[in-house]
Amino acid sequence: MPFGLVRFGVAPDHAEVKNVIHSFSKTAENPNFRFMGNVTLGKDVTLDELRKCYDIVLLSYGADIDAKLNIPGEDKKNVISAREFVGWYNGLPRLENLSPDLSGDSVVLFGQGNVAIDVARILLSSIDELRKTDITEHSLDVLSRSKVKKIYLVGRRGPLQAAFSIKEFREMLKLPKVDTIWRVGDFTGVQEIEKLQRPRKRITELMVKSLNEGKSVEGNKNFLPVFYRSPKSINGSSQVESVDCHVTKLVNDKAVMTDKIETIPAQLVCRSIGYQSICVDDAINFDDKRGMVKNVNGRVLKKNSDESDPGLYVAGWLATGPSGVILTTMNNAFGVAQTIINDIQSGAVKCDSIRPELDLKHHRIVSWSDWSRIDNREVESGKKFN
Ligand code: NAP
């Protein structure tokens, strides 16, 4: 299916971000473009087969799995990943039946990035607001029965290291019938805010303003950022009952665990500590440690060498690691496209050879017109919900 992250990763209440789909569709309709969907690299076709058929191959299959906490209790039923939760509310077919258990009142979210904020916002938003978005019906149904009242957003470092950005954080502060409740002690070392660099300065000012307002209305749901806590274990018998966290302190910007432990009650735990790319084909020069394809400015390196492999490129999170907003990834893609053009113009890569056509005769390829039929059908059936 086309559009990857835009369709299955961007939150349903961020409809304006999804508008980029129109630009992608325009490109796809260019007669020089051929879309071949339902083809899995490493399964239906190998990288070597692709390279025999095309002068240039660009790898851009993103980051498909999530980083694990690797703590006791992580395999319990009510421990889910943000990746799964996001895929579920966005209609990723294989996650339709995830049905997270929202029968308890407290959720612990490990990680303080924008993905964690997206998950918290969807869990705390009113069902009537969510109904206006393109969230899936199956998630609306489960969310409408949610008993969740408190979300702890747990980070191992301090307010100055929080990974979420100001726009997403502001949205949290503006959520109707939700109070953000801080721990005053977490801000002890936060001084001289005016000396901070620009984006960090603005977000810290906003946090401190919200802390000083200390708004808490009886009956409202609570968003509870918790700093200096590193996940230790997830407790309970068959159900999740609480999490244990090491209290941490900052040493050279790193979280160092102390002997102190805090227990936070929770009936659902969601890990949101980053995504990871995987190596889907043995021919790919993959850096297992960093979870990305070895490359310099998008040119893939030959195995065990510092030399680039002519004609093989990589872009997006598979090239850079799983960080950056869509604009960052777009700029990376524009840069790699320019590198490819430069390499063709300089003769470093030849694009004039006669090559065999890719043989996928025995495989059911989904063409752009096939996809358009599926999409039109979905849009038509969606109209009855308007
Ligand atoms: P992220 O921004 O890298 O945040 C990961 C969080 O997990 C950090 O708070 C990190 O803390 C924490 N973490 C990592 N390993 C941990 C561990 N072992 N134990 C405890 N905490 C741990 O990742 P993300 O939220 O998955 O987002 C990925 C990228 O997508 C980001 O660039 C994000 O801005 C972007 N994105 C943007 C939007 C948007 O624009 N609306 C929405 C979603 C995602 P440390 O800092 O201490 O490592």
Side-chain angles (χ1 to χ4, degrees):
M1 204 181 276
F3 312 131
L5 181 86
V6 180
R7 197 171 164 119
F8 296 119
V10 172
D13 54 347
H14 284 174
E16 70 293 346
V17 180
K18 301 197 186 214
N19 285 338
V20 71
I21 282 181
H22 302 306
S23 314
F24 292 161
S25 299
K26 228 171 158 182
T27 305
E29 278 148 24
N30 184 314
N32 291 329
F33 183 94
R34 185 175 167 207
F35 176 81
M36 287 190 258
N38 195 36
V39 181
T40 305
L41 178 62
K43 192 171 140 233
D44 304 319
V45 67
T46 65
L47 179 59
D48 288 342
E49 283 166 338
L50 277 179
R51 297 195 72 186
K52 276 190 195 116
C53 302
Y54 297 94
D55 294 302
I56 290 174
V57 173
L58 169 71
L59 300 169
S60 186
Y61 59 79
D64 221 18
I65 60 169
D66 49 277
K68 300 264 185 318
L69 297 163
N70 295 320
I71 57 170
E74 196 172 359
D75 52 355
K76 288 189 192 301
K77 187 175 152 276
N78 281 10
V79 182
I80 57 171
S81 69
R83 178 187 57 82
E84 289 170 324
F85 190 75
V86 169
W88 169 73
Y89 63 57
N90 273 328
L92 192 61
R94 66 172 185 271
L95 290 168
E96 185 175 341
N97 298 321
L98 180 76
S99 259
D101 178 356
L102 307 179
S103 60
D105 79 344
S106 299
V107 175
V108 160
L109 261 164
F110 280 120
Q112 294 182 323
N114 283 333
V115 172
I117 293 274
D118 278 351
V119 170
R121 193 179 64 255
I122 296 295
L123 281 171
L124 291 171
S125 290
S126 81
I127 207 72
D128 290 334
E129 283 306 311
L130 290 177
R131 226 183 280 285
K132 295 177 196 159
T133 72
D134 68 351
I135 193 166
T136 53
E137 284 303 303
H138 59 254
S139 2
L140 264 185
D141 184 41
V142 174
L143 288 162
S144 67
R145 286 179 272 116
S146 167
K147 297 275 182 285
V148 174
K149 295 261 176 313
K150 291 180 189 168
I151 299 205
Y152 296 90
L153 192 85
V154 180
R156 59 184 171 180
R157 298 193 287 160
L160 294 182
Q161 290 78 31
F164 49 75
S165 39
I166 193 156
K167 179 177 161 285
E168 283 62 31
F169 174 53
R170 203 174 267 132
E171 275 179 294
M172 280 307 303
L173 294 181
K174 285 187 180 159
L175 268 192
K177 300 205 168 148
V178 176
D179 294 331
T180 299
I181 304 196
W182 306 91
R183 294 177 168 193
V184 180
D186 285 349
F187 288 80
T188 306
V190 178
Q191 285 146 3
E192 300 191 322
I193 298 172
E194 60 289 348
K195 288 195 180 155
L196 296 170
Q197 298 276 337
R198 186 78 158 111
R200 182 57 67 189
K201 176 174 175 264
R202 285 177 58 223
I203 197 164
T204 311
E205 281 168 350
L206 195 57
M207 282 191 233
V208 171
K209 181 167 175 267
S210 160
L211 166 79
N212 291 337
E213 283 168 1
K215 186 175 74 112
S216 174
V217 176
E218 181 76 31
N220 278 2
K221 293 179 186 168
N222 292 165
F223 173 58
L224 301 126
V226 175
F227 295 97
Y228 304 110
R229 299 291 182 270
S230 177
K232 177 180 182 287
S233 63
I234 299 167
N235 314 319
S237 43
S238 58
Q239 295 294 323
V240 171
E241 288 163 14
S242 63
V243 300
D244 280 355
C245 299
H246 291 279
V247 176
T248 64
K249 58 179 182 185
L250 267 193
V251 179
N252 295 332
D253 231 25
K254 286 204 164 67
V256 174
M257 293 178 207
T258 67
D259 296 337
K260 279 198 209 138
I261 307 290
E262 178 184 349
T263 302
I264 303 175
Q267 296 78 43
L268 180 73
V269 172
C270 182
R271 63 170 178 265
S272 183
I273 60 166
Y275 286 60
Q276 270 178 9
S277 295
I278 49 171
C279 181
V280 299
D281 186 305
D282 288 343
I284 296 174
N285 187 8
F286 197 79
D287 184 337
D288 288 316
K289 228 169 160 188
R290 301 177 68 200
M292 54 196 259
V293 174
K294 292 187 185 171
N295 74 98
V296 174
N297 299 331
R299 293 185 182 96
V300 177
L301 300 178
K302 289 180 182 164
K303 285 194 176 183
N304 305 315
S305 161
D306 291 338
E307 255 180 62
S308 55
D309 193 343
L312 188 59
Y313 299 87
V314 60
W317 281 7
L318 188 60
T320 61
S323 75
V325 295
I326 289 180
L327 186 65
T328 328
T329 311
M330 277 169 65
N331 284 334
N332 168 265
F334 296 145
V336 177
Q338 191 56 54
T339 301
I340 295 175
I341 293 169
N342 294 347
D343 288 353
I344 295 171
Q345 286 174 345
S346 71
V349 174
K350 301 253 179 293
C351 280
D352 51 6
S353 48
I354 295 172
R355 291 180 179 263
E357 196 173 343
L358 184 65
D359 182 9
L360 282 171
K361 277 198 289 292
H362 304 293
H363 186 73
R364 178 66 174 96
I365 292 175
V366 175
S367 67
W368 187 256
S369 66
D370 293 337
W371 155 252
S372 302
R373 279 166 53 211
I374 298 170
D375 192 37
N376 288 339
R377 180 71 181 263
E378 278 188 357
V379 171
E380 280 308 309
S381 21
K383 281 185 184 158
K384 65 173 182 260
F385 294 105
N386 285 338

